[in-house]
């Protein structure tokens, strides 16, 4: 949460910073600010509200001249969104400015200490402590009126603070340099002929360079206009290898779509293809990144899938698919629960964590917990070089490219594919599926991108249906088995972007309480894609209809009984029953999207949310 950027070079810094922040706004968007050294002093402009407020305030950066600066887009943790709590934060003399992504856990004792030394605070943030603490150590390095040593001051602070941080720091005494450091919050730096850049994530740099350096925990970077130096927390200089980012520059642009979410939904056929095809070789599934021998695959006794939000929902689908195909017991855990519940991880347990961003704090902590208990962890991750990708023992990338909309769509679809591939690989190696069945499933997988395209082409019909529900108070999603997993994701899509209360229930659970919530006209979306469960879900549909519900069915062609029972039907094409979630999710995503659009919601940046949840 929160995005930071920085630039030092030959061009005006403020427009570069604004441009970078515009690509990071998905990380937080309750306030924004920047600090630029104008030749005499550090100027700060910041404001509560979206980035466009800052753009207007600075006339697109024109009122903030200077070639060195740092910027921030905020998702509030300490202190409500407000002008004073917005970053950057200054020291008292306004000679040091700091932007921060993360949380300083011991900020209160540090604040007390600084107050006892005469420091005064103007904000409620943990970040202001950093500005004053850097000031404190910096002044101790100033001998007889000489300029201080920023590197020494910064590393001293790193030894004192606990928590997570990616920082951009500007010193008025050293205007030819900016500094960046990290611990447990993402940070990259890059360079081109016109300067050096810092950013929380790749999209902010794509316009300027594709060659980046991933900064590791407890490393410091000193950036000048034409070069960068890397240091350890003990001030030893180190060398780092650059990484080339393959994403094209359009990847982080809307490309004519009204919202990133719509664009990303339309990218799903490609995302599925890119995650699938490189792993289908000569009629087999080859997952080199798995790094497991056949014996190791046969020795798996149990799988834990750990994730948050939509990635957790993908994991729920994974449970049904892996258990069904490979006959391995699977437990799916919310990362925030896993890390504190002392899970039983016996010998032979495989741990899989799933994350689009690769930065989700709880998922990262769960990964570390599993590793501490002596288990190797497979990460299913989208963002290359992210913390989870780097810390997992093995990484299976979902090749979805940058996902900007807060509500995930294409990364979720890619996660499903990764899980299907694992299930089929394990099933084949363990002998739980026949070769002919395996080949048929491969063919079904190959058909998915085209089928997703067909479903997307049906968007106008779903939009018309969605328009009827912009005023809905509650919506329920029901399904059984694998259809319950997709109901959970359909429900989250609707509620997170439209703010309409919605719940997903295993359809058989309705009678145990929830059915009392059904009123005349309540929309119940019933997902019915599993032949062997049709009769069961049919009964549930009839039960809610009898209590006044309007029933939308998402089902496969030719289900006359479901058709009769439902008030409105959306069909998905035929596929293997294990893969139906990849198709059923498309109309549900479109439904959530069009309800939110109809309500006039800010689809890409829903209130109170941020794309990467890097705090607990
Ligand atoms: O980056 P991650 O996949 O680890 O993120 C997990 C969740 O925060 C994420 O899926 C969230 O639930 C989205 N808002 C869902 O659209």
């Amino acid at each position: 949460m929160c995005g930071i950027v920085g630039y030092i070079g030959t061009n005006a810094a403020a427009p570069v910073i604004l441009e970078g922040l515009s690509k990071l706004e998905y990380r937080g968007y309750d306030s924004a600010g920047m600090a630029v050294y104008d030749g005499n002093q550090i100027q700060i402009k910041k404001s509560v509200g979206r980035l466009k407020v800052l753009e207007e305030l600075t006339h697109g950066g024109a009122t903030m001249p200077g070639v060195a600066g740092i910027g921030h887009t905020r998702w509030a943790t300490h202190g409500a969104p407000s002008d004073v709590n917005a970053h950057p934060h200054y020291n008292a003399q306004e000679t040091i400015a700091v932007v921060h992504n993360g949380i300083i856990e011991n900020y209160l004792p540090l604040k007390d200490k600084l107050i006892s030394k005469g420091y005064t605070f103007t904000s409620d943030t943990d970040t202001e402590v950093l500005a004053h603490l850097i000031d404190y150590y910096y002044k101790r390095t100033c001998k007889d009126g000489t300029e201080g040593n920023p590197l020494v001051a910064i590393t001293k602070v790193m030894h004192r603070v606990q928590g997570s941080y990616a920082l951009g720091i500007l010193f008025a005494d050293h205007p030819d340099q900016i500094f960046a450091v990290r611990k447990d919050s993402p940070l990259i730096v890059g360079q081109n002929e016109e300067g050096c850049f810092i950013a929380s994530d790749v999209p902010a740099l794509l316009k300027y360079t594709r060659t980046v350096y991933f900064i590791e925990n407890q490393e410091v970077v000193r950036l000048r206009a034409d070069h960068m130096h890397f240091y350890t927390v003990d001030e030893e200089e180190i060398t780092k290898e650059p990484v080339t980012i393959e994403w094209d520059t359009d990847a982080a642009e809307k490309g004519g779509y009204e919202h990133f979410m719509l664009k990303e939904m339309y990218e799903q056929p490609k995302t599925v293809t890119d995650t699938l095809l490189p792993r289908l070789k000569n009629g087999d599934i080859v997952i080199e990144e798995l790094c497991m021998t056949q014996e190791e695959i046969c020795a798996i006794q149990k799988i834990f899938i750990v994730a948050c939000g939509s990635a957790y929902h993908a994991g729920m689908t994974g449970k049904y698919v892996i258990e069904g195909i490979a006959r391995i017991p699977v437990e799916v855990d919310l990362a925030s629960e896993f890390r504190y519940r002392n899970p039983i991880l016996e010998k032979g347990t495989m741990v899989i964590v799933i994350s689009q961003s690769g930065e989700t704090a709880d998922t990262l902590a769960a990964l570390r917990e599993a590793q501490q208990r002596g288990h190797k962890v497979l990460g299913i991750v989208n963002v290359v070089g992210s913390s989870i990708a780097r810390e997992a023992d093995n990484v299976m990338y979902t090749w979805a490219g940058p996902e900007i909309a807060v509500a995930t769509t294409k990364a979720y679809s890619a996660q499903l594919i990764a899980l299907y591939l694992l299930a089929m690989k394990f099933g084949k190696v363990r002998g739980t599926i026949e070769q002919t069945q395996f080949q048929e499933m491969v063919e079904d997988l190959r058909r998915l991108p085209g089928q997703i395209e067909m479903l997307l082409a049906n968007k106008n019909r779903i939009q018309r249906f969605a328009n009827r529900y912009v005023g809905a108070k509650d919506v329920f999603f029901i399904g059984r088995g694998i259809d319950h997993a997709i109901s959970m994701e359909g429900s989250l899509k609707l509620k997170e972007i439209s703010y309409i209360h919605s719940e997903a229930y295993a359809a058989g659970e309705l009678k145990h309480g929830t059915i009392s919530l059904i009123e005349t006209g309540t929309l119940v979306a019933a997902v019915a894609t599993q032949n062997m469960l049709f009769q069961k879900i049919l009964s549930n549909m009839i039960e809610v209809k009898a209590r006044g519900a309007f029933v939308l069915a998402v089902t496969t062609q030719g289900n006359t009984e479901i058709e009769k029972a439902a008030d409105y039907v959306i069909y998905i094409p035929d596929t293997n029953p294990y893969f139906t979630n990849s198709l059923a999710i498309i109309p549900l995503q479109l439904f959530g999207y069009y309800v939110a659009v109809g309500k006039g919601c800010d689809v890409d940046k829903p209130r109170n949310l941020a794309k990467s949840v890097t705090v607990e």
Side-chain angles (χ1 to χ4, degrees):
M1 324 197 95
C2 301
I4 68 166
V5 294
Y7 170 73
I8 183 161
T10 51
N11 294 321
V16 176
I17 292 166
L18 287 171
E19 166 68 26
L21 289 179
S22 74
K23 298 290 182 292
L24 296 183
E25 232 191 333
Y26 71 87
R27 301 180 65 85
Y29 33 81
D30 61 47
S31 35
M34 56 182 167
V36 176
Y37 183 76
D38 69 5
N40 289 309
Q41 58 182 4
I42 297 173
Q43 220 195 116
I44 286 187
K45 289 271 185 275
K46 54 187 186 175
S47 172
V48 70
R50 296 286 164 92
L51 183 62
K52 66 176 180 328
V53 180
L54 182 68
E55 282 166 351
E56 281 161 19
L57 192 68
T58 63
H59 299 275
T63 60
M64 295 186 78
V67 292
I70 51 179
H72 188 265
T73 179
R74 182 169 188 244
W75 188 89
T77 55
H78 295 66
S82 69
D83 287 354
V84 273
N85 288 334
H87 300 208
H89 289 280
Y90 268 140
N91 61 339
Q93 292 74 34
E94 303 188 350
T95 52
I96 298 171
V98 180
V99 289
H100 171 211
N101 165 211
I103 287 184
I104 303 303
E105 287 163 4
N106 60 339
Y107 84 105
L108 281 175
L110 289 173
K111 188 171 179 174
D112 288 344
K113 204 94 263 139
L114 287 162
I115 289 171
S116 74
K117 292 189 183 302
Y119 283 85
T120 54
F121 286 77
T122 54
S123 78
D124 308 316
T125 65
D126 51 340
T127 307
E128 197 183 355
V129 166
L130 293 171
H132 293 310
L133 201 58
I134 295 170
D135 174 89
Y136 173 76
Y137 284 115
Y138 180 74
K139 282 183 179 143
R140 286 179 42 165
T141 67
C142 301
K143 299 263 159 48
D144 309 323
T146 60
E147 281 168 4
N149 185 329
L151 184 62
V152 171
I154 290 168
T155 53
K156 284 260 184 321
V157 169
M158 291 166 78
H159 284 294
R160 289 294 306 276
V161 299
Q162 289 156 13
S164 59
Y165 50 83
L167 306 177
I169 311 163
L170 189 59
F171 289 82
D173 284 355
H174 301 271
D176 59 336
Q177 313 169 23
I178 56 175
F179 289 84
V181 305
R182 94 163 267 231
K183 181 180 164 276
D184 292 340
S185 292
L187 182 71
I188 55 170
V189 297
Q191 184 177 2
N192 67 13
E193 319 66 59
E194 294 170 349
C196 292
F197 307 80
I198 66 178
S200 298
D201 197 0
V202 171
L205 298 194
L206 278 182
K207 189 171 168 189
Y208 305 104
T209 179
R210 305 273 189 80
T211 307
V212 303
Y213 297 83
F214 288 96
I215 306 307
E216 301 293 337
N217 274 342
Q218 307 271 58
E219 288 180 354
V220 188
V221 197
R222 185 201 300 264
L223 303 96
R224 297 184 199 262
D226 55 358
H227 63 264
M228 298 183 276
H229 290 277
F230 305 98
Y231 303 90
T232 66
V233 69
D234 297 317
E235 296 156 50
E236 283 160 20
E237 188 158 355
I238 48 172
T239 52
K240 290 182 75 73
E241 288 305 313
V243 174
T244 305
I245 303 293
E246 305 293 346
W247 295 347
D248 64 40
T249 37
D250 300 342
E253 305 292 336
K254 271 192 215 155
Y257 286 90
E258 200 184 336
H259 297 105
F260 277 110
M261 185 176 169
L262 188 62
K263 177 186 178 230
E264 288 160 7
M265 282 191 276
Y266 269 82
E267 286 171 349
Q268 289 179 109
K270 180 175 183 320
T271 295
V272 166
T273 306
D274 291 350
T275 305
L276 181 64
L277 286 196
R279 288 155 179 144
L280 296 183
K281 287 181 188 150
N282 306 323
D284 200 2
I285 290 174
V286 180
I287 312 174
E288 276 153 12
E289 320 88 292
L290 196 55
C291 302
M292 284 175 92
T293 61
Q294 301 215 341
E295 290 70 36
E296 285 170 329
I297 291 175
C298 290
I300 301 170
Q301 299 292 318
K302 182 177 180 174
I303 295 177
F304 259 96
I305 301 181
V306 189
C308 300
S310 294
Y312 169 78
H313 298 158
M316 286 299 292
T317 301
K319 173 182 168 69
Y320 288 104
V321 177
I322 295 171
E323 287 188 343
I325 297 175
R327 306 307 298 151
I328 304 172
V330 179
E331 198 165 328
V332 192
D333 233 344
L334 290 164
S336 51
E337 293 295 317
F338 178 89
R339 59 184 294 194
Y340 294 120
R341 79 175 172 89
N342 197 7
I344 300 166
L345 297 178
E346 286 167 340
K347 195 162 174 279
T349 302
M350 176 183 187
V351 179
I352 302 176
V353 298
I354 309 177
S355 177
Q356 185 285 130
S357 63
E359 300 295 346
T360 300
D362 284 323
T363 311
L364 185 58
L367 174 155
R368 290 175 182 161
E369 176 71 28
Q371 284 176 335
Q372 264 165 25
R373 290 163 181 248
H375 287 264
K376 281 196 174 166
V377 176
L378 171 70
I380 297 180
V381 181
N382 193 44
V383 176
V384 177
S386 57
S387 301
I388 293 177
R390 279 177 296 140
E391 292 194 30
D393 297 280
N394 298 303
V395 185
M396 189 172 173
Y397 280 110
T398 50
W399 297 112
E403 193 178 62
I404 309 292
V406 165
T408 183
T409 52
K410 62 174 181 171
Y412 168 82
S413 283
Q415 288 162 358
L416 292 182
I417 298 297
L419 290 160
Y420 302 158
L421 289 171
L422 282 176
M424 288 171 64
K425 180 80 200 170
F426 291 168
K428 191 166 178 218
V429 171
R430 294 165 71 104
T432 52
I433 35 171
E434 302 289 334
Q435 179 62 16
T436 46
Q437 197 190 352
F438 180 85
Q439 287 309 333
E440 280 166 20
M441 291 174 99
V442 168
E443 289 317 307
D444 281 327
L445 285 177
R446 286 185 188 278
R447 273 193 286 273
L448 285 176
Q451 293 175 325
I452 293 173
E453 224 160 72
M454 275 168 55
L455 287 161
L456 287 165
N458 200 16
K459 75 173 176 27
N460 292 344
R461 180 167 177 255
I462 293 170
Q463 181 171 18
R464 283 194 297 277
F465 179 74
N467 283 340
R468 298 195 214 161
Y469 286 94
V470 294
K473 186 164 68 75
D474 303 293
V475 176
F476 296 94
F477 290 76
I478 60 170
R480 285 176 178 258
I482 205 164
D483 288 338
H484 174 48
I486 207 64
S487 302
M488 294 164 83
E489 178 58 8
S491 170
L492 179 60
K493 283 293 88 78
L494 176 69
K495 73 180 127 193
E496 69 179 329
I497 56 173
S498 74
Y499 319 139
I500 291 174
H501 168 251
S502 124
E503 299 290 344
Y505 285 96
E509 273 294 293
L510 279 179
K511 285 196 281 288
H512 300 283
T514 316
I515 202 159
S516 66
L517 295 169
I518 304 295
E519 293 173 0
T520 304
T522 304
L523 177 63
V524 176
V527 185
T529 70
Q530 304 294 304
N531 266 329
M532 56 178 279
L533 294 168
F534 279 154
Q535 288 308 322
K536 302 288 169 200
I537 185 88
L538 187 64
S539 309
N540 302 128
M541 288 164 63
I542 293 167
E543 284 157 12
V544 291
K545 254 191 97 158
R547 279 135 189 107
F550 185 95
V551 178
L552 159 71
V554 177
T555 189
T556 44
Q557 299 276 357
N559 275 311
T560 43
E561 284 184 275
I562 299 265
E563 276 167 29
K564 276 190 215 142
D567 297 294
Y568 197 90
V569 183
I570 297 170
Y571 293 106
I572 62 161
D574 266 350
T575 187
N576 184 288
Y578 287 119
F579 306 152
T580 53
N581 278 193
S582 287
L583 303 177
I585 193 54
I586 305 299
L588 298 182
Q589 290 170 345
L590 286 166
F591 175 69
Y593 172 76
Y594 281 118
V595 171
V597 169
K599 280 189 76 175
C601 298
D602 191 344
V603 172
D604 285 338
K605 299 187 192 99
R607 69 184 179 207
N608 305 337
L609 293 178
K611 183 76 179 161
S612 331
V613 184
T614 55
V615 295
E616 257 195 76

